[in-house]
PDB file of all heavy atoms in Angstrom:
ATOM      1  N   GLU J1425      -5.073 -25.723-134.906  1.00  0.00           N
ATOM      2  CA  GLU J1425      -4.185 -25.668-136.045  1.00  0.00           C
ATOM      3  C   GLU J1425      -4.938 -26.026-137.324  1.00  0.00           C
ATOM      4  O   GLU J1425      -5.908 -26.799-137.304  1.00  0.00           O
ATOM      5  CB  GLU J1425      -3.012 -26.643-135.841  1.00  0.00           C
ATOM      6  CG  GLU J1425      -2.139 -26.233-134.672  1.00  0.00           C
ATOM      7  CD  GLU J1425      -0.986 -27.193-134.484  1.00  0.00           C
ATOM      8  OE1 GLU J1425      -0.844 -28.111-135.313  1.00  0.00           O
ATOM      9  OE2 GLU J1425      -0.236 -27.023-133.529  1.00  0.00           O
ATOM     10  N   PRO J1426      -4.499 -25.485-138.487  1.00  0.00           N
ATOM     11  CA  PRO J1426      -5.197 -25.772-139.753  1.00  0.00           C
ATOM     12  C   PRO J1426      -5.253 -27.258-140.061  1.00  0.00           C
ATOM     13  O   PRO J1426      -6.229 -27.738-140.600  1.00  0.00           O
ATOM     14  CB  PRO J1426      -4.342 -25.018-140.784  1.00  0.00           C
ATOM     15  CG  PRO J1426      -3.624 -23.957-140.007  1.00  0.00           C
ATOM     16  CD  PRO J1426      -3.410 -24.512-138.641  1.00  0.00           C
ATOM     17  N   GLU J1427      -4.179 -28.024-139.726  1.00  0.00           N
ATOM     18  CA  GLU J1427      -4.182 -29.443-140.031  1.00  0.00           C
ATOM     19  C   GLU J1427      -5.298 -30.165-139.296  1.00  0.00           C
ATOM     20  O   GLU J1427      -5.920 -31.092-139.813  1.00  0.00           O
ATOM     21  CB  GLU J1427      -2.835 -30.071-139.644  1.00  0.00           C
ATOM     22  CG  GLU J1427      -1.664 -29.620-140.482  1.00  0.00           C
ATOM     23  CD  GLU J1427      -1.060 -28.326-139.955  1.00  0.00           C
ATOM     24  OE1 GLU J1427      -1.632 -27.743-139.011  1.00  0.00           O
ATOM     25  OE2 GLU J1427      -0.041 -27.883-140.489  1.00  0.00           O
ATOM     26  N   ALA J1428      -5.569 -29.729-138.043  1.00  0.00           N
ATOM     27  CA  ALA J1428      -6.613 -30.369-137.248  1.00  0.00           C
ATOM     28  C   ALA J1428      -7.984 -30.095-137.853  1.00  0.00           C
ATOM     29  O   ALA J1428      -8.867 -30.935-137.838  1.00  0.00           O
ATOM     30  CB  ALA J1428      -6.542 -29.891-135.801  1.00  0.00           C
ATOM     31  N   GLU J1429      -8.169 -28.867-138.395  1.00  0.00           N
ATOM     32  CA  GLU J1429      -9.466 -28.524-138.967  1.00  0.00           C
ATOM     33  C   GLU J1429      -9.714 -29.307-140.256  1.00  0.00           C
ATOM     34  O   GLU J1429     -10.834 -29.655-140.588  1.00  0.00           O
ATOM     35  CB  GLU J1429      -9.521 -27.021-139.246  1.00  0.00           C
ATOM     36  CG  GLU J1429      -9.533 -26.180-137.970  1.00  0.00           C
ATOM     37  CD  GLU J1429      -9.556 -24.701-138.288  1.00  0.00           C
ATOM     38  OE1 GLU J1429      -9.444 -24.358-139.484  1.00  0.00           O
ATOM     39  OE2 GLU J1429      -9.704 -23.893-137.364  1.00  0.00           O
ATOM     40  N   SER J1430      -8.645 -29.586-140.989  1.00  0.00           N
ATOM     41  CA  SER J1430      -8.816 -30.287-142.264  1.00  0.00           C
ATOM     42  C   SER J1430      -8.900 -31.789-142.111  1.00  0.00           C
ATOM     43  O   SER J1430      -9.085 -32.504-143.081  1.00  0.00           O
ATOM     44  CB  SER J1430      -7.645 -29.943-143.190  1.00  0.00           C
ATOM     45  OG  SER J1430      -6.436 -30.411-142.615  1.00  0.00           O
ATOM     46  N   GLY J1431      -8.703 -32.268-140.881  1.00  0.00           N
ATOM     47  CA  GLY J1431      -8.775 -33.701-140.645  1.00  0.00           C
ATOM     48  C   GLY J1431      -7.427 -34.381-140.673  1.00  0.00           C
ATOM     49  O   GLY J1431      -7.304 -35.566-140.375  1.00  0.00           O
ATOM     50  N   ALA J1432      -6.351 -33.679-141.057  1.00  0.00           N
ATOM     51  CA  ALA J1432      -5.011 -34.261-141.075  1.00  0.00           C
ATOM     52  C   ALA J1432      -4.478 -34.363-139.653  1.00  0.00           C
ATOM     53  O   ALA J1432      -4.883 -33.599-138.780  1.00  0.00           O
ATOM     54  CB  ALA J1432      -4.079 -33.396-141.926  1.00  0.00           C
ATOM     55  N   PRO J1433      -3.574 -35.288-139.372  1.00  0.00           N
ATOM     56  CA  PRO J1433      -3.032 -35.423-138.020  1.00  0.00           C
ATOM     57  C   PRO J1433      -2.250 -34.185-137.603  1.00  0.00           C
ATOM     58  O   PRO J1433      -1.547 -33.576-138.412  1.00  0.00           O
ATOM     59  CB  PRO J1433      -2.109 -36.648-138.126  1.00  0.00           C
ATOM     60  CG  PRO J1433      -1.794 -36.763-139.584  1.00  0.00           C
ATOM     61  CD  PRO J1433      -2.995 -36.266-140.293  1.00  0.00           C
ATOM     62  N   ALA J1434      -2.421 -33.826-136.315  1.00  0.00           N
ATOM     63  CA  ALA J1434      -1.723 -32.654-135.790  1.00  0.00           C
ATOM     64  C   ALA J1434      -0.230 -32.934-135.715  1.00  0.00           C
ATOM     65  O   ALA J1434       0.202 -34.063-135.529  1.00  0.00           O
ATOM     66  CB  ALA J1434      -2.267 -32.298-134.404  1.00  0.00           C
ATOM     67  N   LYS J1435       0.548 -31.889-135.881  1.00  0.00           N
ATOM     68  CA  LYS J1435       1.997 -32.043-135.812  1.00  0.00           C
ATOM     69  C   LYS J1435       2.437 -32.360-134.388  1.00  0.00           C
ATOM     70  O   LYS J1435       1.936 -31.795-133.440  1.00  0.00           O
ATOM     71  CB  LYS J1435       2.682 -30.752-136.283  1.00  0.00           C
ATOM     72  CG  LYS J1435       2.460 -30.443-137.757  1.00  0.00           C
ATOM     73  CD  LYS J1435       3.169 -29.155-138.134  1.00  0.00           C
ATOM     74  CE  LYS J1435       2.960 -28.833-139.611  1.00  0.00           C
ATOM     75  NZ  LYS J1435       3.635 -27.572-140.002  1.00  0.00           N
ATOM     76  N   LYS J1436       3.396 -33.285-134.282  1.00  0.00           N
ATOM     77  CA  LYS J1436       3.935 -33.618-132.970  1.00  0.00           C
ATOM     78  C   LYS J1436       4.934 -32.557-132.534  1.00  0.00           C
ATOM     79  O   LYS J1436       5.658 -31.992-133.343  1.00  0.00           O
ATOM     80  CB  LYS J1436       4.613 -34.988-133.003  1.00  0.00           C
ATOM     81  CG  LYS J1436       3.655 -36.139-133.243  1.00  0.00           C
ATOM     82  CD  LYS J1436       4.402 -37.464-133.173  1.00  0.00           C
ATOM     83  CE  LYS J1436       3.435 -38.629-133.377  1.00  0.00           C
ATOM     84  NZ  LYS J1436       4.147 -39.939-133.328  1.00  0.00           N
ATOM     85  N   ARG J1437       4.954 -32.327-131.234  1.00  0.00           N
ATOM     86  CA  ARG J1437       5.918 -31.383-130.711  1.00  0.00           C
ATOM     87  C   ARG J1437       7.326 -31.966-130.789  1.00  0.00           C
ATOM     88  O   ARG J1437       7.530 -33.152-130.567  1.00  0.00           O
ATOM     89  CB  ARG J1437       5.599 -31.044-129.254  1.00  0.00           C
ATOM     90  CG  ARG J1437       4.314 -30.256-129.082  1.00  0.00           C
ATOM     91  CD  ARG J1437       4.123 -29.891-127.644  1.00  0.00           C
ATOM     92  NE  ARG J1437       2.906 -29.125-127.437  1.00  0.00           N
ATOM     93  CZ  ARG J1437       2.507 -28.671-126.248  1.00  0.00           C
ATOM     94  NH1 ARG J1437       3.225 -28.931-125.177  1.00  0.00           N
ATOM     95  NH2 ARG J1437       1.399 -27.965-126.147  1.00  0.00           N
ATOM     96  N   GLY J1438       8.275 -31.152-131.082  1.00  0.00           N
ATOM     97  CA  GLY J1438       9.661 -31.595-131.139  1.00  0.00           C
ATOM     98  C   GLY J1438      10.236 -31.725-129.739  1.00  0.00           C
ATOM     99  O   GLY J1438       9.578 -31.457-128.734  1.00  0.00           O
ATOM    100  N   PRO J1439      11.487 -32.145-129.639  1.00  0.00           N
ATOM    101  CA  PRO J1439      12.134 -32.280-128.327  1.00  0.00           C
ATOM    102  C   PRO J1439      12.255 -30.941-127.622  1.00  0.00           C
ATOM    103  O   PRO J1439      12.466 -29.906-128.262  1.00  0.00           O
ATOM    104  CB  PRO J1439      13.503 -32.867-128.682  1.00  0.00           C
ATOM    105  CG  PRO J1439      13.729 -32.502-130.116  1.00  0.00           C
ATOM    106  CD  PRO J1439      12.378 -32.502-130.750  1.00  0.00           C
ATOM    107  N   VAL J1440      12.085 -30.967-126.321  1.00  0.00           N
ATOM    108  CA  VAL J1440      12.192 -29.738-125.527  1.00  0.00           C
ATOM    109  C   VAL J1440      13.664 -29.321-125.489  1.00  0.00           C
ATOM    110  O   VAL J1440      14.530 -30.135-125.124  1.00  0.00           O
ATOM    111  CB  VAL J1440      11.663 -29.962-124.099  1.00  0.00           C
ATOM    112  CG1 VAL J1440      11.821 -28.690-123.273  1.00  0.00           C
ATOM    113  CG2 VAL J1440      10.206 -30.389-124.154  1.00  0.00           C
ATOM    114  N   PRO J1441      13.990 -28.113-125.861  1.00  0.00           N
ATOM    115  CA  PRO J1441      15.396 -27.704-125.870  1.00  0.00           C
ATOM    116  C   PRO J1441      15.963 -27.644-124.448  1.00  0.00           C
ATOM    117  O   PRO J1441      15.269 -27.335-123.495  1.00  0.00           O
ATOM    118  CB  PRO J1441      15.349 -26.313-126.514  1.00  0.00           C
ATOM    119  CG  PRO J1441      13.953 -25.825-126.275  1.00  0.00           C
ATOM    120  CD  PRO J1441      13.087 -27.042-126.319  1.00  0.00           C
ATOM    121  N   ILE J1442      17.240 -27.955-124.337  1.00  0.00           N
ATOM    122  CA  ILE J1442      17.929 -27.900-123.044  1.00  0.00           C
ATOM    123  C   ILE J1442      18.349 -26.464-122.795  1.00  0.00           C
ATOM    124  O   ILE J1442      19.084 -25.856-123.590  1.00  0.00           O
ATOM    125  CB  ILE J1442      19.144 -28.847-123.045  1.00  0.00           C
ATOM    126  CG1 ILE J1442      18.675 -30.293-123.212  1.00  0.00           C
ATOM    127  CG2 ILE J1442      19.965 -28.693-121.770  1.00  0.00           C
ATOM    128  CD1 ILE J1442      19.800 -31.290-123.401  1.00  0.00           C
ATOM    129  N   THR J1443      17.868 -25.903-121.700  1.00  0.00           N
ATOM    130  CA  THR J1443      18.120 -24.479-121.421  1.00  0.00           C
ATOM    131  C   THR J1443      19.043 -24.249-120.235  1.00  0.00           C
ATOM    132  O   THR J1443      19.404 -23.116-119.954  1.00  0.00           O
ATOM    133  CB  THR J1443      16.789 -23.761-121.151  1.00  0.00           C
ATOM    134  OG1 THR J1443      16.128 -24.407-120.037  1.00  0.00           O
ATOM    135  CG2 THR J1443      15.883 -23.822-122.371  1.00  0.00           C
ATOM    136  N   GLY J1444      19.398 -25.328-119.513  1.00  0.00           N
ATOM    137  CA  GLY J1444      20.264 -25.162-118.339  1.00  0.00           C
ATOM    138  C   GLY J1444      21.174 -26.353-118.155  1.00  0.00           C
ATOM    139  O   GLY J1444      21.042 -27.387-118.818  1.00  0.00           O
ATOM    140  N   PHE J1445      22.109 -26.205-117.242  1.00  0.00           N
ATOM    141  CA  PHE J1445      23.025 -27.292-116.916  1.00  0.00           C
ATOM    142  C   PHE J1445      22.399 -28.187-115.842  1.00  0.00           C
ATOM    143  O   PHE J1445      21.800 -27.694-114.882  1.00  0.00           O
ATOM    144  CB  PHE J1445      24.352 -26.730-116.405  1.00  0.00           C
ATOM    145  CG  PHE J1445      25.134 -26.000-117.458  1.00  0.00           C
ATOM    146  CD1 PHE J1445      24.990 -24.627-117.636  1.00  0.00           C
ATOM    147  CD2 PHE J1445      26.012 -26.686-118.284  1.00  0.00           C
ATOM    148  CE1 PHE J1445      25.701 -23.956-118.612  1.00  0.00           C
ATOM    149  CE2 PHE J1445      26.736 -26.016-119.261  1.00  0.00           C
ATOM    150  CZ  PHE J1445      26.580 -24.646-119.436  1.00  0.00           C
ATOM    151  N   LEU J1446      22.531 -29.496-116.031  1.00  0.00           N
ATOM    152  CA  LEU J1446      21.961 -30.433-115.059  1.00  0.00           C
ATOM    153  C   LEU J1446      22.789 -31.710-115.046  1.00  0.00           C
ATOM    154  O   LEU J1446      23.079 -32.290-116.088  1.00  0.00           O
ATOM    155  CB  LEU J1446      20.510 -30.763-115.434  1.00  0.00           C
ATOM    156  CG  LEU J1446      19.771 -31.736-114.501  1.00  0.00           C
ATOM    157  CD1 LEU J1446      19.596 -31.120-113.114  1.00  0.00           C
ATOM    158  CD2 LEU J1446      18.411 -32.114-115.088  1.00  0.00           C
ATOM    159  N   ARG J1447      23.170 -32.148-113.848  1.00  0.00           N
ATOM    160  CA  ARG J1447      23.889 -33.405-113.678  1.00  0.00           C
ATOM    161  C   ARG J1447      23.076 -34.267-112.713  1.00  0.00           C
ATOM    162  O   ARG J1447      22.819 -33.860-111.577  1.00  0.00           O
ATOM    163  CB  ARG J1447      25.295 -33.159-113.134  1.00  0.00           C
ATOM    164  CG  ARG J1447      26.188 -34.406-113.174  1.00  0.00           C
ATOM    165  CD  ARG J1447      27.555 -34.120-112.566  1.00  0.00           C
ATOM    166  NE  ARG J1447      28.255 -33.079-113.283  1.00  0.00           N
ATOM    167  CZ  ARG J1447      29.007 -33.275-114.366  1.00  0.00           C
ATOM    168  NH1 ARG J1447      29.133 -34.513-114.847  1.00  0.00           N
ATOM    169  NH2 ARG J1447      29.612 -32.276-114.959  1.00  0.00           N
ATOM    170  N   SER J1448      22.643 -35.446-113.169  1.00  0.00           N
ATOM    171  CA  SER J1448      21.743 -36.277-112.368  1.00  0.00           C
ATOM    172  C   SER J1448      22.206 -37.736-112.397  1.00  0.00           C
ATOM    173  O   SER J1448      22.846 -38.188-113.353  1.00  0.00           O
ATOM    174  CB  SER J1448      20.313 -36.198-112.914  1.00  0.00           C
ATOM    175  OG  SER J1448      19.848 -34.882-112.989  1.00  0.00           O
ATOM    176  N   PHE J1449      21.841 -38.471-111.328  1.00  0.00           N
ATOM    177  CA  PHE J1449      22.087 -39.908-111.297  1.00  0.00           C
ATOM    178  C   PHE J1449      21.092 -40.582-112.244  1.00  0.00           C
ATOM    179  O   PHE J1449      19.903 -40.262-112.265  1.00  0.00           O
ATOM    180  CB  PHE J1449      21.930 -40.450-109.884  1.00  0.00           C
ATOM    181  CG  PHE J1449      22.987 -39.942-108.934  1.00  0.00           C
ATOM    182  CD1 PHE J1449      22.644 -39.179-107.829  1.00  0.00           C
ATOM    183  CD2 PHE J1449      24.326 -40.211-109.154  1.00  0.00           C
ATOM    184  CE1 PHE J1449      23.607 -38.711-106.966  1.00  0.00           C
ATOM    185  CE2 PHE J1449      25.302 -39.750-108.291  1.00  0.00           C
ATOM    186  CZ  PHE J1449      24.948 -38.988-107.194  1.00  0.00           C
ATOM    187  N   TYR J1450      21.593 -41.570-112.978  1.00  0.00           N
ATOM    188  CA  TYR J1450      20.815 -42.094-114.100  1.00  0.00           C
ATOM    189  C   TYR J1450      20.780 -43.626-114.171  1.00  0.00           C
ATOM    190  O   TYR J1450      19.814 -44.214-114.666  1.00  0.00           O
ATOM    191  CB  TYR J1450      21.410 -41.528-115.395  1.00  0.00           C
ATOM    192  CG  TYR J1450      20.806 -42.036-116.672  1.00  0.00           C
ATOM    193  CD1 TYR J1450      19.473 -41.772-116.988  1.00  0.00           C
ATOM    194  CD2 TYR J1450      21.570 -42.759-117.590  1.00  0.00           C
ATOM    195  CE1 TYR J1450      18.921 -42.221-118.184  1.00  0.00           C
ATOM    196  CE2 TYR J1450      21.022 -43.216-118.785  1.00  0.00           C
ATOM    197  CZ  TYR J1450      19.704 -42.943-119.081  1.00  0.00           C
ATOM    198  OH  TYR J1450      19.155 -43.381-120.253  1.00  0.00           O
ATOM    199  N   GLY J1451      21.822 -44.305-113.665  1.00  0.00           N
ATOM    200  CA  GLY J1451      21.998 -45.732-113.921  1.00  0.00           C
ATOM    201  C   GLY J1451      20.876 -46.611-113.414  1.00  0.00           C
ATOM    202  O   GLY J1451      20.359 -47.465-114.144  1.00  0.00           O
ATOM    203  N   ALA J1452      20.445 -46.442-112.143  1.00  0.00           N
ATOM    204  CA  ALA J1452      19.419 -47.311-111.565  1.00  0.00           C
ATOM    205  C   ALA J1452      18.060 -47.046-112.195  1.00  0.00           C
ATOM    206  O   ALA J1452      17.297 -47.985-112.466  1.00  0.00           O
ATOM    207  CB  ALA J1452      19.355 -47.120-110.054  1.00  0.00           C
ATOM    208  N   THR J1453      17.745 -45.779-112.442  1.00  0.00           N
ATOM    209  CA  THR J1453      16.444 -45.487-113.046  1.00  0.00           C
ATOM    210  C   THR J1453      16.415 -45.951-114.508  1.00  0.00           C
ATOM    211  O   THR J1453      15.352 -46.345-115.017  1.00  0.00           O
ATOM    212  CB  THR J1453      16.110 -43.991-112.965  1.00  0.00           C
ATOM    213  OG1 THR J1453      17.194 -43.223-113.506  1.00  0.00           O
ATOM    214  CG2 THR J1453      15.897 -43.566-111.526  1.00  0.00           C
ATOM    215  N   TYR J1454      17.566 -45.935-115.184  1.00  0.00           N
ATOM    216  CA  TYR J1454      17.629 -46.507-116.530  1.00  0.00           C
ATOM    217  C   TYR J1454      17.306 -48.004-116.469  1.00  0.00           C
ATOM    218  O   TYR J1454      16.564 -48.515-117.323  1.00  0.00           O
ATOM    219  CB  TYR J1454      19.025 -46.293-117.126  1.00  0.00           C
ATOM    220  CG  TYR J1454      19.292 -47.148-118.345  1.00  0.00           C
ATOM    221  CD1 TYR J1454      18.820 -46.767-119.598  1.00  0.00           C
ATOM    222  CD2 TYR J1454      19.989 -48.351-118.237  1.00  0.00           C
ATOM    223  CE1 TYR J1454      19.046 -47.561-120.717  1.00  0.00           C
ATOM    224  CE2 TYR J1454      20.215 -49.148-119.351  1.00  0.00           C
ATOM    225  CZ  TYR J1454      19.748 -48.752-120.586  1.00  0.00           C
ATOM    226  OH  TYR J1454      19.967 -49.549-121.682  1.00  0.00           O
ATOM    227  N   LEU J1455      17.858 -48.686-115.474  1.00  0.00           N
ATOM    228  CA  LEU J1455      17.560 -50.113-115.295  1.00  0.00           C
ATOM    229  C   LEU J1455      16.065 -50.331-115.138  1.00  0.00           C
ATOM    230  O   LEU J1455      15.479 -51.223-115.783  1.00  0.00           O
ATOM    231  CB  LEU J1455      18.300 -50.648-114.068  1.00  0.00           C
ATOM    232  CG  LEU J1455      17.934 -52.064-113.612  1.00  0.00           C
ATOM    233  CD1 LEU J1455      18.380 -53.096-114.653  1.00  0.00           C
ATOM    234  CD2 LEU J1455      18.541 -52.375-112.246  1.00  0.00           C
ATOM    235  N   PHE J1456      15.412 -49.520-114.302  1.00  0.00           N
ATOM    236  CA  PHE J1456      13.970 -49.683-114.076  1.00  0.00           C
ATOM    237  C   PHE J1456      13.165 -49.377-115.334  1.00  0.00           C
ATOM    238  O   PHE J1456      12.135 -50.017-115.601  1.00  0.00           O
ATOM    239  CB  PHE J1456      13.511 -48.799-112.921  1.00  0.00           C
ATOM    240  CG  PHE J1456      14.124 -49.160-111.601  1.00  0.00           C
ATOM    241  CD1 PHE J1456      14.367 -48.190-110.645  1.00  0.00           C
ATOM    242  CD2 PHE J1456      14.479 -50.461-111.303  1.00  0.00           C
ATOM    243  CE1 PHE J1456      14.932 -48.515-109.433  1.00  0.00           C
ATOM    244  CE2 PHE J1456      15.050 -50.795-110.100  1.00  0.00           C
ATOM    245  CZ  PHE J1456      15.278 -49.822-109.160  1.00  0.00           C
ATOM    246  N   ASP J1457      13.632 -48.392-116.129  1.00  0.00           N
ATOM    247  CA  ASP J1457      12.943 -48.098-117.391  1.00  0.00           C
ATOM    248  C   ASP J1457      12.935 -49.326-118.300  1.00  0.00           C
ATOM    249  O   ASP J1457      11.913 -49.645-118.933  1.00  0.00           O
ATOM    250  CB  ASP J1457      13.628 -46.936-118.112  1.00  0.00           C
ATOM    251  CG  ASP J1457      13.373 -45.600-117.442  1.00  0.00           C
ATOM    252  OD1 ASP J1457      12.442 -45.507-116.623  1.00  0.00           O
ATOM    253  OD2 ASP J1457      14.122 -44.647-117.737  1.00  0.00           O
ATOM    254  N   GLN J1458      14.081 -50.017-118.363  1.00  0.00           N
ATOM    255  CA  GLN J1458      14.178 -51.200-119.225  1.00  0.00           C
ATOM    256  C   GLN J1458      13.327 -52.343-118.673  1.00  0.00           C
ATOM    257  O   GLN J1458      12.697 -53.083-119.433  1.00  0.00           O
ATOM    258  CB  GLN J1458      15.642 -51.641-119.350  1.00  0.00           C
ATOM    259  CG  GLN J1458      16.580 -50.554-119.848  1.00  0.00           C
ATOM    260  CD  GLN J1458      16.075 -49.863-121.095  1.00  0.00           C
ATOM    261  OE1 GLN J1458      15.814 -50.515-122.109  1.00  0.00           O
ATOM    262  NE2 GLN J1458      15.930 -48.551-121.037  1.00  0.00           N
ATOM    263  N   ILE J1459      13.313 -52.501-117.350  1.00  0.00           N
ATOM    264  CA  ILE J1459      12.485 -53.546-116.736  1.00  0.00           C
ATOM    265  C   ILE J1459      11.010 -53.266-117.008  1.00  0.00           C
ATOM    266  O   ILE J1459      10.230 -54.183-117.303  1.00  0.00           O
ATOM    267  CB  ILE J1459      12.751 -53.624-115.221  1.00  0.00           C
ATOM    268  CG1 ILE J1459      14.171 -54.130-114.956  1.00  0.00           C
ATOM    269  CG2 ILE J1459      11.736 -54.539-114.533  1.00  0.00           C
ATOM    270  CD1 ILE J1459      14.577 -54.081-113.490  1.00  0.00           C
ATOM    271  N   GLY J1460      10.615 -52.001-116.923  1.00  0.00           N
ATOM    272  CA  GLY J1460       9.224 -51.631-117.188  1.00  0.00           C
ATOM    273  C   GLY J1460       8.793 -51.981-118.593  1.00  0.00           C
ATOM    274  O   GLY J1460       7.647 -52.394-118.829  1.00  0.00           O
ATOM    275  N   GLN J1461       9.717 -51.850-119.559  1.00  0.00           N
ATOM    276  CA  GLN J1461       9.397 -52.220-120.935  1.00  0.00           C
ATOM    277  C   GLN J1461       9.371 -53.734-121.101  1.00  0.00           C
ATOM    278  O   GLN J1461       8.500 -54.282-121.800  1.00  0.00           O
ATOM    279  CB  GLN J1461      10.426 -51.594-121.875  1.00  0.00           C
ATOM    280  CG  GLN J1461      10.365 -50.071-121.910  1.00  0.00           C
ATOM    281  CD  GLN J1461      11.458 -49.460-122.766  1.00  0.00           C
ATOM    282  OE1 GLN J1461      12.014 -50.112-123.650  1.00  0.00           O
ATOM    283  NE2 GLN J1461      11.793 -48.205-122.503  1.00  0.00           N
ATOM    284  N   GLU J1462      10.313 -54.434-120.473  1.00  0.00           N
ATOM    285  CA  GLU J1462      10.403 -55.882-120.602  1.00  0.00           C
ATOM    286  C   GLU J1462       9.189 -56.581-120.003  1.00  0.00           C
ATOM    287  O   GLU J1462       8.659 -57.538-120.581  1.00  0.00           O
ATOM    288  CB  GLU J1462      11.680 -56.369-119.901  1.00  0.00           C
ATOM    289  CG  GLU J1462      11.830 -57.880-119.810  1.00  0.00           C
ATOM    290  CD  GLU J1462      12.041 -58.550-121.151  1.00  0.00           C
ATOM    291  OE1 GLU J1462      12.456 -57.852-122.113  1.00  0.00           O
ATOM    292  OE2 GLU J1462      11.778 -59.756-121.253  1.00  0.00           O
ATOM    293  N   THR J1463       8.737 -56.128-118.844  1.00  0.00           N
ATOM    294  CA  THR J1463       7.609 -56.763-118.152  1.00  0.00           C
ATOM    295  C   THR J1463       6.259 -56.253-118.625  1.00  0.00           C
ATOM    296  O   THR J1463       5.227 -56.828-118.275  1.00  0.00           O
ATOM    297  CB  THR J1463       7.710 -56.528-116.643  1.00  0.00           C
ATOM    298  OG1 THR J1463       7.708 -55.103-116.386  1.00  0.00           O
ATOM    299  CG2 THR J1463       8.988 -57.128-116.063  1.00  0.00           C
ATOM    300  N   GLY J1464       6.256 -55.162-119.398  1.00  0.00           N
ATOM    301  CA  GLY J1464       4.994 -54.575-119.832  1.00  0.00           C
ATOM    302  C   GLY J1464       4.347 -53.697-118.779  1.00  0.00           C
ATOM    303  O   GLY J1464       3.236 -53.199-118.985  1.00  0.00           O
TER     304      GLY J1464
END
């Protein structure tokens, strides 16, 4: 990208668009995500 050649930071990718329907269990893995941040 031109920004990379000029020395400026490359643009970050935006959020991946949702293209399908998905229903998933979330509560326990959310708990582990928070524990992972708390404990480092």
Side-chain angles (χ1 to χ4, degrees):
E1425 295 180 4
E1427 292 85 354
E1429 292 179 354
S1430 63
K1435 294 180 180 180
K1436 294 184 179 179
R1437 292 184 180 180
V1440 178
I1442 296 173
T1443 58
F1445 292 92
L1446 180 65
R1447 191 182 299 274
S1448 304
F1449 293 118
Y1450 176 64
T1453 53
Y1454 165 81
L1455 171 67
F1456 296 149
D1457 287 344
Q1458 304 310 303
I1459 293 173
Q1461 294 176 22
E1462 173 67 20
T1463 59

